[in-house]
Short mmCIF file of all heavy atoms in Angstrom, two decimals:
data_model
loop_
_atom_site.label_atom_id
_atom_site.label_comp_id
_atom_site.label_asym_id
_atom_site.label_seq_id
_atom_site.Cartn_x
_atom_site.Cartn_y
_atom_site.Cartn_z
N ARG A 9 -3.13 -12.99 11.24
CA ARG A 9 -2.84 -11.60 11.44
C ARG A 9 -1.38 -11.53 11.98
O ARG A 9 -0.65 -10.81 11.89
CB ARG A 9 -3.71 -11.00 12.42
CG ARG A 9 -5.05 -10.72 11.80
CD ARG A 9 -5.11 -9.79 10.65
NE ARG A 9 -4.31 -8.54 10.90
CZ ARG A 9 -4.84 -7.45 11.60
NH1 ARG A 9 -6.13 -7.55 11.83
NH2 ARG A 9 -4.10 -6.42 11.71
N TYR A 10 -1.02 -12.66 12.92
CA TYR A 10 0.23 -12.60 13.63
C TYR A 10 0.84 -13.95 13.43
O TYR A 10 0.08 -15.05 13.63
CB TYR A 10 0.15 -12.22 15.09
CG TYR A 10 -0.32 -10.84 15.20
CD1 TYR A 10 -1.69 -10.61 15.47
CD2 TYR A 10 0.50 -9.71 15.30
CE1 TYR A 10 -2.22 -9.28 15.60
CE2 TYR A 10 0.04 -8.50 15.48
CZ TYR A 10 -1.26 -8.33 15.76
OH TYR A 10 -1.78 -7.07 15.89
N TYR A 31 -6.47 -8.40 -10.52
CA TYR A 31 -5.17 -8.09 -10.15
C TYR A 31 -4.95 -8.28 -8.55
O TYR A 31 -5.88 -7.81 -7.81
CB TYR A 31 -4.80 -6.70 -10.44
CG TYR A 31 -3.29 -6.21 -9.97
CD1 TYR A 31 -2.28 -6.53 -10.72
CD2 TYR A 31 -3.30 -5.54 -8.87
CE1 TYR A 31 -1.04 -6.02 -10.39
CE2 TYR A 31 -2.00 -5.17 -8.42
CZ TYR A 31 -0.91 -5.35 -9.21
OH TYR A 31 0.34 -5.04 -8.81
N TYR A 35 2.83 -7.27 -0.76
CA TYR A 35 3.88 -6.27 -0.28
C TYR A 35 4.40 -6.47 1.06
O TYR A 35 3.68 -7.11 1.92
CB TYR A 35 3.24 -4.87 -0.36
CG TYR A 35 2.61 -4.29 -1.55
CD1 TYR A 35 1.35 -4.58 -1.91
CD2 TYR A 35 3.42 -3.52 -2.46
CE1 TYR A 35 0.84 -4.08 -3.10
CE2 TYR A 35 2.91 -3.16 -3.61
CZ TYR A 35 1.55 -3.30 -4.02
OH TYR A 35 1.06 -2.96 -5.09
N GLN A 37 6.22 -4.33 4.41
CA GLN A 37 6.29 -3.02 4.92
C GLN A 37 7.29 -3.07 6.01
O GLN A 37 7.13 -3.70 7.05
CB GLN A 37 5.04 -2.39 5.27
CG GLN A 37 5.08 -0.95 5.76
CD GLN A 37 3.73 -0.47 6.04
OE1 GLN A 37 2.96 -1.06 6.82
NE2 GLN A 37 3.39 0.77 5.58
N PRO A 39 10.11 -0.64 8.59
CA PRO A 39 10.35 0.61 9.17
C PRO A 39 11.32 1.41 8.35
O PRO A 39 12.45 0.87 8.01
CB PRO A 39 10.93 0.37 10.65
CG PRO A 39 10.34 -0.97 11.05
CD PRO A 39 10.37 -1.78 9.75
N GLY A 40 11.01 2.70 7.93
CA GLY A 40 11.84 3.51 7.19
C GLY A 40 11.87 3.30 5.66
O GLY A 40 12.37 3.95 4.99
N GLY A 42 9.15 2.30 2.27
CA GLY A 42 7.77 2.35 1.78
C GLY A 42 7.42 0.87 1.41
O GLY A 42 8.23 0.02 1.59
N TYR A 48 3.14 -10.13 -7.80
CA TYR A 48 1.81 -9.76 -8.33
C TYR A 48 1.23 -10.77 -9.32
O TYR A 48 2.00 -11.57 -9.85
CB TYR A 48 1.74 -8.28 -8.77
CG TYR A 48 2.50 -8.12 -10.05
CD1 TYR A 48 1.85 -8.09 -11.21
CD2 TYR A 48 3.90 -7.78 -10.10
CE1 TYR A 48 2.52 -7.95 -12.49
CE2 TYR A 48 4.52 -7.55 -11.21
CZ TYR A 48 3.80 -7.60 -12.54
OH TYR A 48 4.52 -7.34 -13.72
N MET A 50 -1.65 -10.91 -12.50
CA MET A 50 -2.68 -10.11 -13.28
C MET A 50 -4.00 -10.93 -13.51
O MET A 50 -4.99 -10.30 -13.75
CB MET A 50 -2.10 -9.85 -14.74
CG MET A 50 -0.90 -9.07 -14.68
SD MET A 50 -1.12 -7.38 -14.39
CE MET A 50 -1.84 -6.88 -16.06
N ASP A 59 9.60 -6.17 -6.80
CA ASP A 59 10.85 -5.70 -6.50
C ASP A 59 11.67 -6.56 -5.57
O ASP A 59 12.89 -6.53 -5.63
CB ASP A 59 10.72 -4.35 -5.93
CG ASP A 59 9.98 -3.19 -6.79
OD1 ASP A 59 10.35 -3.30 -8.06
OD2 ASP A 59 9.15 -2.53 -6.43
N LEU A 88 5.98 -6.81 8.13
CA LEU A 88 4.54 -6.69 8.02
C LEU A 88 4.15 -6.88 6.53
O LEU A 88 4.64 -6.16 5.80
CB LEU A 88 4.16 -5.42 8.51
CG LEU A 88 2.68 -5.07 8.50
CD1 LEU A 88 1.77 -6.02 9.44
CD2 LEU A 88 2.42 -3.64 9.14
N PHE A 90 1.28 -7.26 3.33
CA PHE A 90 0.01 -6.85 2.99
C PHE A 90 -0.25 -7.48 1.65
O PHE A 90 0.47 -7.39 0.69
CB PHE A 90 -0.06 -5.29 2.85
CG PHE A 90 -0.07 -4.58 4.16
CD1 PHE A 90 1.01 -3.82 4.70
CD2 PHE A 90 -1.31 -4.47 4.93
CE1 PHE A 90 0.92 -3.28 5.92
CE2 PHE A 90 -1.25 -3.82 6.15
CZ PHE A 90 -0.23 -3.29 6.54
N ARG A 94 -7.14 -5.38 -6.97
CA ARG A 94 -7.87 -4.28 -7.73
C ARG A 94 -8.35 -4.84 -9.12
O ARG A 94 -7.81 -5.92 -9.58
CB ARG A 94 -7.11 -3.03 -8.00
CG ARG A 94 -5.89 -3.18 -8.92
CD ARG A 94 -5.33 -1.72 -8.99
NE ARG A 94 -4.30 -1.80 -10.01
CZ ARG A 94 -4.50 -1.51 -11.36
NH1 ARG A 94 -5.71 -1.31 -11.78
NH2 ARG A 94 -3.48 -1.45 -12.14
N LEU A 99 -5.41 2.23 -13.65
CA LEU A 99 -5.09 2.48 -12.31
C LEU A 99 -6.05 3.58 -11.68
O LEU A 99 -6.49 3.57 -10.59
CB LEU A 99 -3.74 2.70 -11.98
CG LEU A 99 -3.28 2.80 -10.43
CD1 LEU A 99 -3.58 1.39 -9.85
CD2 LEU A 99 -1.75 3.07 -10.48
N TYR A 100 -6.43 4.57 -12.65
CA TYR A 100 -7.06 5.71 -12.16
C TYR A 100 -8.46 5.42 -11.66
O TYR A 100 -9.07 6.17 -10.76
CB TYR A 100 -7.38 6.65 -13.38
CG TYR A 100 -6.06 7.04 -14.23
CD1 TYR A 100 -6.12 7.11 -15.50
CD2 TYR A 100 -4.85 7.24 -13.54
CE1 TYR A 100 -4.99 7.34 -16.26
CE2 TYR A 100 -3.73 7.51 -14.19
CZ TYR A 100 -3.72 7.56 -15.67
OH TYR A 100 -2.68 7.84 -16.37
N PHE A 106 -6.49 -3.06 0.28
CA PHE A 106 -5.44 -3.69 1.09
C PHE A 106 -6.25 -4.57 2.15
O PHE A 106 -7.22 -4.18 2.72
CB PHE A 106 -4.55 -2.78 1.71
CG PHE A 106 -3.59 -2.14 0.74
CD1 PHE A 106 -3.77 -1.07 0.07
CD2 PHE A 106 -2.26 -2.81 0.60
CE1 PHE A 106 -2.88 -0.46 -0.81
CE2 PHE A 106 -1.28 -2.24 -0.19
CZ PHE A 106 -1.58 -1.06 -0.92
N GLY A 107 -5.56 -5.69 2.43
CA GLY A 107 -5.97 -6.42 3.65
C GLY A 107 -5.36 -5.81 4.85
O GLY A 107 -4.73 -4.66 4.81
N ASN A 108 -5.64 -6.34 5.97
CA ASN A 108 -5.22 -5.57 7.27
C ASN A 108 -3.78 -6.17 7.80
O ASN A 108 -3.46 -5.67 8.89
CB ASN A 108 -6.20 -5.94 8.42
CG ASN A 108 -7.36 -5.00 8.25
OD1 ASN A 108 -7.27 -3.92 7.77
ND2 ASN A 108 -8.62 -5.46 8.65
N ARG A 111 1.59 -9.83 10.49
CA ARG A 111 2.98 -9.57 11.08
C ARG A 111 3.62 -10.86 11.28
O ARG A 111 3.21 -11.71 12.14
CB ARG A 111 2.75 -8.96 12.51
CG ARG A 111 3.94 -8.83 13.37
CD ARG A 111 5.10 -8.07 12.91
NE ARG A 111 4.81 -6.73 12.84
CZ ARG A 111 5.57 -5.85 12.18
NH1 ARG A 111 6.76 -6.24 11.71
NH2 ARG A 111 5.43 -4.49 12.22
N GLU B 2 0.90 -2.01 15.20
CA GLU B 2 2.04 -2.18 14.33
C GLU B 2 3.19 -1.23 14.59
O GLU B 2 2.78 -0.02 14.84
CB GLU B 2 1.52 -2.27 12.90
CG GLU B 2 0.38 -3.21 12.57
CD GLU B 2 0.62 -4.60 12.91
OE1 GLU B 2 1.86 -4.96 13.13
OE2 GLU B 2 -0.36 -5.34 12.93
N ASN B 3 4.38 -1.45 14.20
CA ASN B 3 5.46 -0.48 14.38
C ASN B 3 6.01 0.11 13.15
O ASN B 3 6.96 0.62 13.08
CB ASN B 3 6.62 -1.13 15.14
CG ASN B 3 7.31 -2.12 14.28
OD1 ASN B 3 6.76 -2.56 13.30
ND2 ASN B 3 8.51 -2.52 14.58
N VAL B 4 5.00 0.12 12.10
CA VAL B 4 5.42 0.77 10.82
C VAL B 4 5.75 2.25 11.08
O VAL B 4 6.44 2.70 10.10
CB VAL B 4 4.42 0.62 9.74
CG1 VAL B 4 4.11 -0.83 9.51
CG2 VAL B 4 3.02 1.23 10.25
N HIS B 7 10.02 5.07 12.64
CA HIS B 7 11.03 5.88 12.26
C HIS B 7 10.44 7.09 11.44
O HIS B 7 11.09 7.79 10.81
CB HIS B 7 12.06 5.33 11.48
CG HIS B 7 12.66 4.06 12.21
ND1 HIS B 7 13.42 4.18 13.29
CD2 HIS B 7 12.57 2.81 11.89
CE1 HIS B 7 13.80 2.89 13.76
NE2 HIS B 7 13.28 2.04 12.89
N ASP B 31 2.84 9.80 -13.56
CA ASP B 31 1.72 10.43 -14.09
C ASP B 31 0.43 10.36 -13.29
O ASP B 31 -0.59 10.82 -13.60
CB ASP B 31 1.30 9.70 -15.51
CG ASP B 31 0.99 8.20 -15.39
OD1 ASP B 31 1.14 7.77 -14.26
OD2 ASP B 31 0.61 7.57 -16.32
N TYR B 32 0.57 9.67 -12.08
CA TYR B 32 -0.60 9.61 -11.22
C TYR B 32 -0.14 9.42 -9.86
O TYR B 32 0.86 8.77 -9.51
CB TYR B 32 -1.44 8.33 -11.71
CG TYR B 32 -2.65 8.02 -10.90
CD1 TYR B 32 -3.63 8.76 -10.81
CD2 TYR B 32 -2.63 6.71 -10.32
CE1 TYR B 32 -4.87 8.35 -10.00
CE2 TYR B 32 -3.69 6.30 -9.57
CZ TYR B 32 -4.71 7.13 -9.43
OH TYR B 32 -5.85 6.67 -8.67
N GLN B 38 -3.10 5.04 6.81
CA GLN B 38 -2.85 3.73 7.41
C GLN B 38 -2.98 3.91 8.99
O GLN B 38 -2.30 4.47 9.59
CB GLN B 38 -1.58 3.20 7.07
CG GLN B 38 -1.40 1.66 7.65
CD GLN B 38 -0.12 1.05 7.15
OE1 GLN B 38 0.76 1.71 6.62
NE2 GLN B 38 0.01 -0.19 7.47
N GLY B 41 -2.66 -1.07 12.97
CA GLY B 41 -3.27 -2.39 12.89
C GLY B 41 -4.16 -2.73 11.65
O GLY B 41 -4.82 -3.71 11.51
N LYS B 42 -4.18 -1.72 10.71
CA LYS B 42 -4.97 -1.80 9.49
C LYS B 42 -4.08 -1.73 8.22
O LYS B 42 -2.97 -1.25 8.28
CB LYS B 42 -6.13 -0.81 9.56
CG LYS B 42 -6.96 -1.08 10.66
CD LYS B 42 -8.19 -0.13 10.50
CE LYS B 42 -9.26 -0.40 11.52
NZ LYS B 42 -10.43 0.51 11.50
N GLY B 43 -4.68 -2.00 7.15
CA GLY B 43 -4.06 -1.83 5.85
C GLY B 43 -4.28 -0.40 5.44
O GLY B 43 -5.17 0.28 5.84
N PRO B 44 -3.34 -0.01 4.44
CA PRO B 44 -3.47 1.33 3.88
C PRO B 44 -4.97 1.44 3.16
O PRO B 44 -5.51 0.52 2.62
CB PRO B 44 -2.52 1.35 2.75
CG PRO B 44 -1.37 0.33 3.21
CD PRO B 44 -2.29 -0.75 3.89
N ARG B 51 -4.24 13.17 -11.07
CA ARG B 51 -3.37 12.83 -12.17
C ARG B 51 -2.45 14.02 -12.46
O ARG B 51 -2.62 15.15 -12.02
CB ARG B 51 -4.28 12.79 -13.39
CG ARG B 51 -5.32 11.62 -13.34
CD ARG B 51 -5.89 11.29 -14.59
NE ARG B 51 -7.14 10.65 -14.66
CZ ARG B 51 -7.72 10.06 -15.72
NH1 ARG B 51 -7.25 10.24 -16.82
NH2 ARG B 51 -8.78 9.24 -15.51
N ASN B 93 2.71 6.79 -9.56
CA ASN B 93 2.65 5.62 -10.68
C ASN B 93 3.72 5.97 -11.75
O ASN B 93 3.62 7.05 -12.29
CB ASN B 93 1.23 5.63 -11.16
CG ASN B 93 1.16 4.63 -12.35
OD1 ASN B 93 1.33 3.48 -12.12
ND2 ASN B 93 0.89 5.02 -13.55
N ASN B 98 7.69 -2.57 -16.16
CA ASN B 98 7.06 -3.81 -15.93
C ASN B 98 6.06 -4.38 -16.96
O ASN B 98 4.91 -4.50 -16.82
CB ASN B 98 6.35 -3.81 -14.61
CG ASN B 98 6.91 -4.87 -13.58
OD1 ASN B 98 7.79 -5.48 -13.85
ND2 ASN B 98 6.35 -4.84 -12.48
N PHE B 101 2.56 -2.61 -17.60
CA PHE B 101 1.72 -2.36 -16.56
C PHE B 101 2.25 -1.29 -15.60
O PHE B 101 3.36 -1.14 -15.23
CB PHE B 101 1.41 -3.68 -15.71
CG PHE B 101 0.35 -3.67 -14.81
CD1 PHE B 101 -0.99 -3.55 -15.34
CD2 PHE B 101 0.56 -3.74 -13.50
CE1 PHE B 101 -2.07 -3.46 -14.40
CE2 PHE B 101 -0.44 -3.69 -12.59
CZ PHE B 101 -1.82 -3.56 -13.04
N GLN B 102 1.24 -0.60 -14.96
CA GLN B 102 1.75 0.54 -14.17
C GLN B 102 2.34 0.02 -12.91
O GLN B 102 2.17 -1.08 -12.35
CB GLN B 102 0.38 1.30 -13.68
CG GLN B 102 -0.24 1.89 -14.79
CD GLN B 102 -1.54 1.16 -15.20
OE1 GLN B 102 -1.56 -0.06 -14.97
NE2 GLN B 102 -2.47 1.83 -15.65
N LYS B 103 3.30 0.73 -12.35
CA LYS B 103 4.12 0.39 -11.16
C LYS B 103 3.89 1.62 -10.23
O LYS B 103 4.28 2.64 -10.44
CB LYS B 103 5.54 0.22 -11.50
CG LYS B 103 6.43 -0.06 -10.30
CD LYS B 103 7.74 -0.39 -10.71
CE LYS B 103 8.67 -0.49 -9.52
NZ LYS B 103 8.33 -1.81 -8.80
N LEU B 104 3.36 1.19 -8.94
CA LEU B 104 3.30 2.16 -7.92
C LEU B 104 4.57 2.09 -6.90
O LEU B 104 4.95 1.09 -6.67
CB LEU B 104 2.11 1.77 -7.10
CG LEU B 104 0.80 2.25 -7.45
CD1 LEU B 104 -0.36 1.79 -6.53
CD2 LEU B 104 0.63 3.71 -7.66
N PHE B 106 5.79 3.55 -3.31
CA PHE B 106 5.23 4.10 -2.19
C PHE B 106 6.20 4.82 -1.44
O PHE B 106 7.40 4.56 -1.26
CB PHE B 106 4.63 3.02 -1.36
CG PHE B 106 3.57 2.27 -1.85
CD1 PHE B 106 3.69 1.31 -2.77
CD2 PHE B 106 2.25 2.62 -1.69
CE1 PHE B 106 2.71 0.47 -3.34
CE2 PHE B 106 1.16 1.93 -2.14
CZ PHE B 106 1.43 0.95 -3.05
N GLY B 107 5.88 6.03 -0.74
CA GLY B 107 6.61 6.77 0.11
C GLY B 107 6.71 6.14 1.52
O GLY B 107 5.86 5.20 1.74
N THR B 108 7.46 6.73 2.41
CA THR B 108 7.52 6.11 3.72
C THR B 108 6.56 6.58 4.83
O THR B 108 6.23 6.02 5.64
CB THR B 108 8.99 6.31 4.27
OG1 THR B 108 9.31 7.80 4.22
CG2 THR B 108 10.02 5.70 3.46
#
Side-chain angles (χ1 to χ4, degrees):
Chain A
R9 289 297 311 275
Y10 298 92
Y31 177 88
Y35 298 88
Q37 188 175 44
Y48 65 95
M50 298 285 285
D59 297 316
L88 179 59
F90 288 100
R94 68 176 187 88
L99 188 59
Y100 309 139
F106 285 88
N108 282 329
R111 164 63 67 185
Chain B
E2 310 298 351
N3 69 344
V4 295
H7 305 295
D31 63 353
Y32 176 63
Q38 187 175 9
K42 294 187 177 180
R51 299 191 192 194
N93 177 62
N98 242 358
F101 190 69
Q102 298 101 331
K103 177 179 175 63
L104 280 179
F106 294 86
T108 54

